[in-house]
């Protein structure tokens, strides 16, 4: 048995989504695959499943009953620590494989279990990564249900309503700083700032408004406006303390041939995303500025057995 799940790209709203603000994401055409076959004891890539790097896999295994232990093999095209949802893709692909052995995979069940895994392993989180990896395509997270509702996830008096949203088919240029930063502490630092600073709380709300305006702009194909909103979203994230000089450098380099650019995912390192209709030129500019650059597209397929 084997299953795969996509990485994700947050176009607007990371961090603010943890506080219940809207966010927009898309699954991307970089996927994680997890293979399983029966074995006398649990193994991950031939080694111990207790190794720290398999903590998401181990927590996913604890969620699903299997008839016996398995040898799991994990292959991922999603670079880790790059803000592209690699842990969510591996978690969701693992859950897909385990449920596949039982005979049925249901994206909603897997999205809920995936969120629990992420919460257990990483602490405070939103369900955006794990739900995007489960559902595929474009996702809009809102505090209240609207047309296109896929599922609702609740935790500690917070509720996220995950909606299907159609995005135009676009190339996104990723600029990876190569600096890896853990999501959990970044999310915790933003919470501390928001609790003590009215300005930080205001930035979170402004990001929520930008997300909805950004979605409108993308749907109208107004890439100039969408790019402008990405630039503003980047500035607000930097104000919340999740920027990095290297991210500014890559975003500035990308902007010369793009409509706009922002950090994507947890920040503190990781990647930027640029909206460009000259993707190859933007890739070159990011490389010249010292980043690893590549182009991704939306992937409509969520968790799936292979
Ligand atoms: O960088 P990633 O893939 O871990 O994305 C995290 C997105 C956040 O909004 C920062 C956290 C979350 O759980 O929503």
């Amino acid at each position: 048995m084997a299953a795969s799940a996509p990485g994700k790209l947050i176009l607007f709203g990371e961090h603010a989504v943890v506080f219940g603000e809207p966010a927009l994401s898309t699954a991307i055409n970089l996927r994680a695959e997890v293979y399983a076959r029966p074995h006398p004891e649990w193994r991950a890539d031939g080694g111990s499943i207790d190794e720290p790097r398999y903590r998401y896999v181990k927590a996913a295994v604890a969620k699903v009953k299997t008839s016996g232990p398995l040898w799991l093999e994990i292959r991922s095209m999603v670079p880790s620590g790059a803000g592209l949802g690699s842990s969510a893709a591996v978690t969701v692909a693992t859950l897909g494989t385990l449920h596949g052995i039982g005979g049925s995979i249901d994206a909603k069940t897997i999205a809920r279990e995936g969120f629990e895994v992420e919460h257990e392993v990483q602490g405070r989180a939103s369900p955006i990564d794990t739900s995007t990896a489960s559902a595929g395509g474009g996702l809009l997270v809102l505090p209240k249900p609207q047309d296109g509702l896929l599922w609702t996830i609740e935790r500690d008096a917070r509720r996220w309503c995950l909606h299907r949203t159609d995005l135009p088919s676009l190339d996104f240029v990723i600029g990876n700083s190569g600096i890896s930063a853990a999501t959990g502490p970044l999310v915790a630092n933003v919470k501390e700032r928001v609790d003590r600073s009215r300005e930080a709380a205001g930035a979170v709300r402004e990001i929520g408004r930008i997300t909805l305006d950004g979605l409108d702009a993308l749907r109208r194909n107004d890439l100039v406006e969408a790019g402008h909103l990405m630039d503003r979203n980047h500035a607000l994230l930097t104000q919340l303390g999740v920027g990095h000089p290297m991210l500014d450098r890559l975003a500035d380099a990308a902007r010369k041939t793009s409509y706009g650019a922002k950090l994507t995912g947890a920040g503190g390192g990781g990647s930027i995303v640029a909206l460009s209709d000259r993707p190859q030129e933007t890739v070159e500019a990011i490389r010249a500025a010292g980043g690893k650059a590549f182009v991704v597209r939306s992937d409509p397929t969520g968790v799936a057995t292979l």
Side-chain angles (χ1 to χ4, degrees), residues 8 10 13-19 23 56 81-88 115 118 122-130 160 181-184 186-187 190 237 242 263-267 270-271:
K8 68 91 203 17
I10 300 182
E14 51 273 271
H15 285 288
V17 66
V18 178
F19 298 87
Y56 289 90
L84 298 177
S86 70
S87 53
F115 173 59
E118 209 159 68
Q122 140 191 330
R124 201 177 156 85
S126 85
I128 191 166
D129 286 22
T130 37
W160 296 271
T183 301
L186 288 159
V187 170
V190 172
L237 286 164
V242 298
L263 74 83
T264 186
S271 302

